[in-house]
């Protein structure tokens, strides 16, 4: 349990009472009760109010808010306020503002704008975190700490340059090692002194975001920036722990956000939390994958849905309303996939600046007679009724998909073979196929223990880090099934090619050699032609993006390319290795191929779908104390028929008992309890 002071699914969200006065505060108290809100995230952007100058701290407003909320039955997720530094600090200590990738020194403005290696920022952010912890350590409202907010963005200032060199020295020990790792004889880059190394920005090696001359340098800068921001988090974290060792600490993450290596971050958090902002056209399975990924950061531990909008956003190009029922549906989607909280940004909609058109529980009209409020209040009642039933329940997937931020950086920084390769999209293709098949999946890091899974899929495993190949071989030889794809096994952790033939360290496991890699134009296709029908797969399927030209070195060839000069070369292979098997898919296939392929593998492994249902019906399951909780989420605008099997199950939201075929209402939700078999 995140904190047993509140043993239910926490319900609430970001609340900025400092933007309002007593009249609104008492209305807030009244309406929070009506909506069943029991947690408020406060003080996220209040640093300038708490610290009007270098030596003065003023906690009077925050004291009053903490007391008021507690007296009204609302607990607090307490922000440390360090996501936006005060204006006076930027004026007095210019080192707190960042230098951007184009080399421009930023002025005060915006948020998430502090240089992570600024001595001033580190000193004052740690100090205020400590002061808050000291002051509120015994406050009964305090549930959890929320350090800063959505860490992100990179800095290219001189302090960061210096810290980068220190980081490099720690990693490489000698300049010779660094030269080797970066292959600096290329374009005459040999470094003799550490201070010759400069950051890879648009003033040096990079352009257009992910384009770079030197992958090794750019990759290390991403690692370094992720670590630098994490260091800021840790400084506040450690300071807080001195005063409140038992209160959990989190910071809100952002799903597949590219810039930070969240698997590293997850290790430093008591509980993972994240902000979910899909747009109306985001695939449902993409949101599901993001939830599963956030759950994977701490190997399946339940997480917090820290933010979602009750209805509308403001920062997308087209900010659609969440249709009636959708906020509830998406809230349960989070819970189904491991969230133990449902929280919003924001509880009351601000009157000025760029988030005034962002949805809120309490809208500008100021009263409760709105569609959005009614929907929020209904959900609040349901979550009260669910009590602690689902808290701490886990998933039990037998299939894992490997996701790796460093691998993503490396594939996307790569100059060639194609600009069209998007790591996340390739991962999502595999996830989506399993999602459509109603098969449970865990999203895992390269470090995860594979032995608890029957099937491990590592799409585009371009970068193979030390130990990965061996561990995967062990997994397969003891009976596991492993799948990887084109453009895998190419480089080591420094983006240096593993010489001797692709897929490098994975070559003997896969029993193939990839001689060349063809890049296809967006409208170009090749074909996967099955040599003979295999389970759900028969005939031929489209493929594209990249085509590896592979030779079998012992692997069985299940399908061949249908076109071009490499027609007849293998495109799908299976290698028996010990008592397991390793598959290679040499190109990016169409969806129907992946569904057929993965349903074959699941059938072979005895991995069963949770339910049988049509499109738009999502299923997920959590288990706890010998009980299973099956979530049926109908994303369609019409009712959906679902076959749940012949065991009687109890719908937790209606208390009815059901079995066989059930109808889930349009945009409706069922949570079915049964004994775990
Ligand atoms: C993020 C931030 C919030 C708010 C919302 C708006 O998630 O954490 O402060 O800006 O976006 O969608
Ligand atoms: Zn900096």
């Amino acid at each position: 349990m995140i904190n047993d002071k509140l043993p239910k699914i926490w319900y609430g969200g970001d609340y900025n009472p400092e933007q309002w006065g007593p009249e609104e505060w008492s209305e807030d108290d009244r309406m929070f009760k009506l909506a069943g809100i029991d947690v408020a995230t406060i003080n996220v952007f209040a640093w300038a109010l708490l610290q009007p100058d270098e030596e003065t701290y003023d906690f009077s407003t925050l004291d009053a808010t903490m007391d008021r909320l507690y007296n009204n039955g609302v607990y607090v997720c307490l922000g440390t306020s360090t996501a936006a530094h005060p204006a006076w600090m930027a004026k007095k200590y210019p080192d707190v503002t960042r230098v951007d990738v184009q080399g421009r020194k930023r002025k005060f403005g915006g948020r998430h704008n502090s240089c992570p290696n600024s001595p001033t920022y580190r000193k004052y952010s740690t100090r205020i975190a400590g002061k808050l912890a000291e002051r509120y350590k015994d406050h009964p409202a305090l549930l959890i700490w929320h350090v800063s907010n959505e860490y992100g963005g990179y800095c290219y200032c001189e302090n960061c340059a210096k810290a980068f060199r220190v980081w490099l020295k720690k990693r490489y020990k000698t300049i010779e090692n660094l030269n080797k790792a970066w292959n600096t004889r290329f374009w005459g880059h040999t470094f003799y002194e550490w201070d010759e190394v400069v950051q890879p920005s648009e003033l040096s090696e990079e352009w257009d975001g992910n384009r770079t001359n030197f992958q090794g340098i750019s990759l290390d800068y991403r690692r370094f920036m992720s670590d630098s921001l994490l260091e800021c988090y840790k400084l506040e974290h450690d300071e807080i722990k001195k005063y409140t060792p038992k209160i959990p600490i989190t910071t809100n993450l952002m799903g597949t956000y590219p810039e930070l290596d969240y698997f590293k971050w997850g290790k430093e958090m008591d509980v993972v939390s994240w902000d979910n902002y899909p747009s109306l056209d985001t695939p449902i399975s993409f949101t599901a994958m993001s939830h599963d990924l956030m759950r994977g950061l701490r190997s399946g531990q339940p997480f917090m849905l820290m933010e979602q909008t009750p209805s509308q956003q403001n920062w997308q190009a087209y900010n659609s309303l969440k249709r009636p029922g959708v906020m509830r549906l998406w809230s349960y989607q989070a819970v189904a996939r491991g969230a133990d909280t449902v929280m919003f940004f924001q509880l009351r909609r601000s009157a000025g600046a760029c988030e005034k058109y962002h949805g809120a529980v309490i809208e500008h009209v100021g009263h409760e007679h709105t569609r959005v409020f009614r929907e929020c209040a209904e959900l609040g009642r349901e979550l009260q009724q669910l009590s602690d039933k689902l808290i701490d329940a886990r998933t039990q997937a037998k299939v894992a998909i490997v996701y790796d931020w460093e691998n993503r950086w490396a594939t996307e920084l790569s100059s060639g073979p194609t600009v069209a390769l998007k790591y996340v999209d390739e991962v999502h293709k595999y996830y989506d196929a399993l999602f459509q098949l109603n098969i449970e999946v865990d999203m895992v890091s390269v470090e995860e223990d594979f032995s608890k899974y029957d099937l491990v899929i590592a799409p585009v495993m371009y970068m193979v880090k030390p130990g990965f190949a061996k561990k995967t071989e062990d997994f397969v030889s003891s009976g596991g099934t492993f799948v990887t794809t084109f453009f895998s096994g190419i480089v080591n952790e420094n983006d240096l090619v593993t010489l001797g033939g692709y897929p490098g360290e994975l070559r003997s496991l896969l029993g193939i050699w990839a001689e060349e890699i063809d890049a296809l134009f967006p409208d170009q296709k090749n074909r996967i032609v099955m040599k003979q029908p295999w389970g759900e797969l028969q005939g031929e399927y489209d493929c594209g993006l990249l085509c590896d030209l592979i030779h079998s070195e012992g692997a069985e060839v299940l399908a061949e390319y249908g076109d071009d000069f490499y027609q007849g070369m293998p495109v799908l292979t299976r290698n028996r290795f010990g008592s397991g098997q390793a598959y290679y898919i040499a190109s990016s296939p169409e969806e129907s191929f992946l569904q057929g392929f993965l349903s074959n593998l699941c059938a072979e492994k005895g991995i069963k779908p949770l339910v049988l249902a049509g499109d738009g019906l999502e299923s997920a399951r959590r288990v706890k104390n010998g009980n299973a909780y099956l979530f049926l989420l109908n994303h369609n605008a019409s009712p959906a028929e679902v076959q749940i099997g012949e065991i009687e199950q109890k719908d937790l939201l209606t208390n009815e008992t059901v079995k066989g075929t059930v109808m889930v209402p349009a945009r409706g939700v069922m949570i079915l309890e049964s004994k775990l078999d």
Side-chain angles (χ1 to χ4, degrees):
M1 204 168 294
I2 310 170
N3 184 330
D4 54 19
K5 269 189 197 171
L6 186 55
K8 67 174 278 287
I9 296 172
W10 300 357
Y11 192 50
D14 275 52
Y15 176 47
N16 302 301
E18 63 276 9
Q19 294 177 21
W20 305 96
E23 208 175 299
E24 290 83 14
W25 295 337
S26 57
E27 277 297 275
D28 293 340
D29 296 338
R30 184 182 70 81
M31 280 190 269
F32 291 171
K33 266 183 213 124
L34 285 179
I37 280 168
D38 42 41
V39 56
T41 306
I42 59 171
N43 202 45
V44 178
F45 293 104
W47 197 353
L49 276 188
L50 297 180
Q51 194 182 359
D53 62 48
E54 195 160 353
E55 292 312 325
T56 318
Y57 289 86
D58 176 4
F59 295 99
S60 52
T61 314
L62 187 54
D63 287 351
T65 303
M66 295 281 289
D67 293 346
R68 172 172 62 84
L69 288 171
Y70 185 69
N71 293 333
N72 284 283
V74 177
Y75 288 95
V76 166
C77 169
L78 188 52
T80 61
S81 80
T82 54
H85 51 241
W88 63 259
M89 196 181 287
K91 180 176 151 206
K92 189 160 183 192
Y93 298 106
D95 66 292
V96 298
T97 63
R98 292 181 180 176
V99 169
D100 70 16
V101 70
Q102 295 176 322
R104 299 175 303 190
K105 175 71 176 166
R106 308 293 307 179
K107 298 193 174 186
F108 175 75
R111 59 173 179 173
H112 306 137
N113 47 1
S114 314
C115 162
N117 289 296
S118 147
T120 310
Y121 177 72
R122 287 192 171 191
K123 172 173 156 195
Y124 287 111
S125 57
T126 312
R127 188 194 278 180
I128 192 133
K131 284 196 182 285
L132 288 163
E134 187 179 14
R135 189 167 191 93
Y136 299 110
K137 64 180 187 323
D138 299 318
H139 199 289
L142 179 61
L143 263 194
I144 184 165
W145 291 101
H146 176 299
V147 174
S148 191
N149 188 72
E150 294 190 336
Y151 280 99
Y154 292 171
C155 179
Y156 298 82
C157 76
E158 271 314 303
N159 280 324
C160 286
K162 281 188 205 132
F164 184 41
R165 292 179 201 122
V166 172
W167 185 93
L168 290 170
K169 262 188 215 168
K170 210 168 147 204
R171 184 177 173 90
Y172 294 108
K173 314 284 187 296
T174 68
I175 198 87
E176 291 74 30
N177 291 343
L178 171 130
N179 280 313
K180 219 181 268 172
W182 288 355
N183 200 38
T184 54
R185 292 202 177 179
F186 179 76
W187 288 1
H189 271 48
T190 304
F191 299 108
Y192 294 94
E193 303 285 347
W194 292 97
D195 62 4
E196 291 162 9
V197 174
V198 298
Q199 295 135 316
S201 72
E202 292 191 15
L203 301 180
S204 56
E205 307 292 359
E206 294 192 7
W207 69 102
D208 282 357
N210 272 336
R211 315 305 304 275
T212 180
N213 297 316
F214 262 88
Q215 280 67 27
I217 307 182
S218 291
L219 187 58
D220 274 344
Y221 205 67
R222 280 151 183 74
R223 290 180 171 129
F224 160 71
M225 269 293 137
S226 176
D227 285 358
S228 296
L229 288 154
L230 181 56
E231 192 53 36
C232 293
Y233 167 82
K234 276 158 62 180
L235 285 168
E236 291 192 39
H237 171 278
D238 294 353
E239 194 63 19
I240 292 168
K241 282 286 176 198
K242 288 183 193 160
Y243 300 96
T244 59
K246 297 215 174 86
I247 302 284
I249 304 180
T250 189
T251 183
N252 47 340
L253 309 180
M254 296 173 278
T256 58
Y257 179 72
E259 293 183 359
L260 306 179
D261 182 355
Y262 281 160
F263 278 112
K264 245 180 157 177
W265 282 67
K267 290 182 186 159
E268 308 296 334
M269 298 164 72
D270 294 316
V271 54
V272 166
S273 65
W274 87 284
D275 302 342
N276 180 31
Y277 289 103
S279 136
L280 199 63
D281 60 359
T282 305
I284 301 298
S285 66
F286 192 88
T287 308
M289 180 179 86
S290 305
H291 285 305
D292 288 359
L293 180 62
M294 295 295 98
R295 187 183 72 239
L297 299 184
R298 290 185 59 80
S299 295
Q301 183 187 316
F303 60 91
M304 294 174 69
L305 175 62
M306 184 64 92
E307 296 180 22
Q308 63 170 346
T309 176
S311 178
Q312 198 164 30
Q313 284 143 347
N314 66 284
W315 47 265
Q316 295 179 340
Y318 307 100
N319 297 284
S320 355
L321 301 176
K322 281 187 182 166
R323 278 29 210 171
V326 169
M327 182 280 291
R328 172 177 180 264
L329 179 63
W330 290 3
S331 300
Y332 280 119
Q333 182 187 33
V335 174
R337 299 195 167 276
D340 277 354
T341 74
V342 172
M343 293 162 69
F344 299 110
F345 183 89
Q346 49 195 334
L347 297 188
R348 182 185 273 277
R349 196 187 271 237
S350 41
C354 68
E355 286 175 348
K356 60 181 175 299
Y357 301 125
H358 192 293
V361 176
I362 303 173
E363 306 265 20
H364 284 151
V365 69
H367 60 56
E368 67 271 33
H369 307 293
T370 64
R371 173 183 75 92
V372 170
F373 190 92
R374 274 193 299 274
E375 291 193 27
C376 291
E378 275 163 33
L379 180 59
R381 272 191 293 279
E382 278 184 352
L383 297 180
Q384 280 168 348
Q385 175 196 328
L386 284 170
S387 177
D388 65 351
K389 266 270 160 172
L390 299 160
I391 295 299
D392 279 334
R394 302 283 179 132
T395 39
Q396 278 185 348
K398 285 286 153 205
V399 182
I401 295 182
V402 178
Y403 188 97
D404 186 40
W405 265 271
E406 295 184 301
N407 182 52
R408 174 179 184 179
W409 292 333
T411 51
E412 292 176 3
L413 286 167
S414 173
S415 178
T418 175
V419 293
L421 174 58
K422 300 276 174 282
Y423 175 65
V424 180
D425 291 352
E426 291 307 308
V427 173
H428 176 243
K429 273 183 141 184
Y430 284 78
Y431 183 92
D432 183 64
L434 290 158
F435 178 91
Q436 304 304 339
L437 293 168
N438 290 297
I439 302 281
E440 292 170 277
V441 174
D442 279 347
M443 300 292 295
V444 303
S445 81
V446 290
E447 289 175 3
E448 188 66 63
D449 170 16
F450 290 168
S451 68
K452 48 185 174 188
Y453 300 104
D454 294 334
L455 170 58
V456 172
I457 305 166
V460 196
M461 204 50 342
Y462 169 71
M463 173 187 283
V464 172
K465 296 189 206 168
F468 181 82
K470 168 80 173 66
K471 161 200 168 129
T472 310
E473 285 181 359
D474 290 348
F475 165 71
V476 177
S477 38
S478 42
T481 298
F482 177 69
V483 177
T484 191
T485 71
F486 63 93
F487 210 43
S488 288
I490 311 274
V491 298
N492 70 4
E493 80 277 17
N494 296 319
D495 201 66
L496 288 176
V497 169
T498 303
L499 299 176
Y502 318 138
E505 291 187 58
L506 301 176
R507 189 165 162 189
S508 70
L509 172 64
L510 294 160
I512 55 146
W513 167 42
E515 183 181 347
E516 295 182 81
I517 306 169
D518 194 17
L520 275 55
F521 278 79
D523 54 357
Q524 243 184 317
K525 295 258 169 287
N526 205 310
R527 282 177 301 138
I528 297 174
V529 182
M530 296 303 297
K531 291 185 72 173
Q532 54 200 33
W534 169 40
E536 304 268 317
L537 288 180
Q538 55 175 315
E540 53 181 67
Y541 302 87
D542 282 348
C543 64
L545 186 68
L546 288 177
C547 295
D548 283 359
L549 277 53
I550 62 176
H551 305 275
S552 166
E553 293 180 331
E556 185 185 345
V557 179
L558 301 175
E560 297 169 345
Y561 284 113
D563 297 306
D564 220 315
F565 78 93
Y566 42 95
Q567 181 182 28
M569 286 184 85
V571 60
L572 173 65
T573 58
R574 167 170 56 206
N575 195 38
R576 295 185 196 278
F577 190 91
S579 32
Q581 28 203 18
Y583 288 84
Y584 194 78
I585 303 178
S587 182
S588 186
E590 65 173 287
E591 180 75 32
S592 64
F593 172 87
L594 283 182
Q595 282 192 29
F597 173 70
L598 292 168
S599 85
N600 283 353
L601 297 193
C602 289
E604 274 176 20
K605 287 278 165 195
I607 304 166
K608 296 207 181 65
L610 287 173
V611 295
L612 295 178
D615 284 353
L617 189 288
E618 175 179 356
S619 60
R621 193 173 71 150
R622 295 178 70 173
V623 301
K624 173 179 159 181
N625 298 340
N627 289 322
Y629 299 94
L630 174 67
F631 288 74
L632 303 177
L633 307 154
N634 182 7
H635 296 279
N636 300 302
S638 54
E641 203 178 274
V642 189
Q643 291 171 42
I644 59 166
E646 286 314 309
I647 295 166
E648 287 208 328
Q649 311 201 31
K650 190 176 106 192
D651 186 338
L652 293 186
L653 298 172
T654 61
N655 279 322
E656 280 166 25
T657 303
V658 292
K659 66 173 185 176
T661 303
V662 297
M663 289 300 279
V664 187
R667 295 191 172 121
V669 176
M670 288 176 123
I671 308 174
L672 303 178
E673 183 183 47
S674 63
K675 285 267 160 263
L676 196 58
D677 44 50

